[in-house]
Amino acid sequence: MISQSLLSSIELRETGENLRNLQFSTLSPFLASSDKTRRAIKCFESPYYNLNSEIIWVGGKENILATLNSHGQVVFYDLLNNDKSALLTKSNEHAFKVFFAKENLFIVAKNAFSDYLNFYLIPIENLQNGSDSRITVFEALEVQPKNIKDLDNDNCTMVIETTMEIQVWHILSNSLLKKFPLNPNIHYQFSSGHFIFWEVGKSDTKLGIITLENSSLHQIVIKSACQILICEIIDSCLILGMTNCLLQVINIFTGSSYTISKNIPLAVYKYEACDKLIVRFPDNTFAIISDENIENTERLDLNGEIFFTNIGEFSILSDKTGRVCIITNKVVQVFDNYFDGVQQIGVNPDANQIYFACKGEIFVVD
């Protein structure tokens, strides 16, 4: 957990190169503060950094902010050291995935001279001390991008598919957790630390749900052979979306279920803690699903590509125009045109910060 002194330093710091302090006048209910501010960090510039790329991921841990752009380049910024930045990927590398795994930054990258992926951990402490030294994990694995089926930053797991089996690897311990035989007649998906598999019969669908932590198995039979399009676990609930069916929420322990009076969602946004998710329907209405369903017919006035993140109980959604919606179990606040040309949004739960990546700069909302 980030120290109180570090939090104070982040909150009180008002000077430094490339900063602009602006006031948020109406964000106070969102983070229970009356003096929300935003400041802009100028994006990393270097002859080796592609300035025409877009930021496709942004996130933070303690005083470190990290980004991944569409050309596979990873940059980190030290928010307590004049926003000092450095490029973490080499000139012959392309990163496919980046996220914070506990006290490390995890990078999946491919060298231009190899067909296989490399996996690295960079301790946060190293970045704070100005070092980008890496720890290589999964050295013995020969994995191509097509083999990776899931990367879960909450459970620090990676799922890969070989010609014979499905393997679940733990990133921090550099070890194989589980493996399952690959069967062409069995469909599968991983969600929130669970392995979900199903077989479609003539008139029904049989599902099995294995909890990876304790290997417990739960079985469910659905009286439909329609195609499964959405299959997610939230706490003890299975959220199931099938063609020509209403969205179902099924308790995996009791088998009890209810339906949401909508068909297949346009998009599904899962909370970082995996305790609830938001589904957005084609008419821009939404439902928040947890152990207790909360359905809302209020519309989100957002258009085109939607970016999502959450911090605590609050969900933040934004479109590229900079229109931002703050949601709990309803839309509680809407901000128009706060940011121009939004490319991605992210959060730093340690420092209670929200990041809006735009062309040429990243806005930090403290």
Side-chain angles (χ1 to χ4, degrees), residues 108-277:
V108 180
K110 181 179 175 297
N111 187 296
F113 308 108
S114 173
D115 292 330
Y116 301 111
L117 295 172
N118 297 310
F119 305 92
Y120 305 109
L121 289 170
I122 304 179
I124 299 300
E125 186 177 3
N126 287 8
L127 297 176
Q128 291 170 333
N129 292 329
S131 169
D132 62 355
S133 60
R134 308 169 170 185
I135 301 169
T136 302
V137 292
F138 308 136
E139 287 186 88
L141 287 181
E142 292 186 343
V143 179
Q144 296 181 350
K146 66 179 182 181
N147 298 122
I148 294 186
K149 300 304 176 182
D150 187 70
L151 282 163
D152 186 343
N153 61 307
D154 291 301
N155 294 288
C156 295
T157 55
M158 176 179 71
V159 179
I160 64 173
E161 183 181 295
T162 70
T163 56
M164 300 293 293
E165 60 189 14
I166 304 155
Q167 300 175 353
V168 184
W169 292 82
H170 190 255
I171 294 167
L172 297 180
S173 65
N174 194 15
S175 62
L176 179 65
L177 290 179
K178 301 282 183 182
K179 59 182 179 180
F180 305 93
L182 190 61
N183 186 329
N185 298 317
I186 302 294
H187 307 271
Y188 73 90
Q189 181 166 322
F190 283 81
S191 177
S192 305
H194 296 79
F195 175 55
I196 310 166
F197 59 97
W198 64 93
E199 184 176 18
V200 180
K202 291 183 178 180
S203 60
D204 62 12
T205 301
K206 297 179 176 65
L207 295 99
I209 302 165
I210 297 176
T211 304
L212 297 179
E213 185 177 16
N214 55 23
S215 298
S216 62
L217 171 65
H218 303 278
Q219 295 176 296
I220 297 171
V221 178
I222 305 295
K223 298 299 182 180
S224 171
C226 292
Q227 182 183 6
I228 292 178
L229 300 176
I230 294 173
C231 189
E232 295 285 353
I233 293 287
I234 295 295
D235 281 344
S236 59
C237 294
L238 170 68
I239 291 83
L240 197 63
M242 307 175 76
T243 55
N244 303 317
C245 298
L246 296 177
L247 193 65
Q248 300 180 70
V249 181
I250 305 167
N251 188 296
I252 63 175
F253 298 112
T254 65
S256 62
S257 66
Y258 57 83
T259 59
I260 296 176
S261 57
K262 298 280 186 178
N263 290 322
I264 298 301
L266 185 65
V268 177
Y269 310 103
K270 183 178 286 189
Y271 279 52
E272 284 291 329
C274 298
D275 58 347
K276 56 183 173 179
L277 57 77

Side-chain angles (χ1 to χ4, degrees), residues 24 27 30 38 300-302 307 309 315-327 331-339 342 345 354 356 365:
F24 268 101
L27 205 57
F30 169 40
R38 69 176 181 180
L300 298 175
D301 190 12
L302 299 171
F307 306 110
T309 190
S315 304
I316 304 104
L317 295 101
S318 171
D319 60 21
K320 288 192 172 185
T321 69
R323 184 175 177 83
V324 180
C325 291
I326 310 298
I327 298 174
V331 177
V332 294
Q333 289 179 298
V334 177
F335 307 100
D336 286 311
N337 304 317
Y338 262 93
F339 309 97
V342 175
I345 62 177
I354 312 165
F356 291 82
V365 179

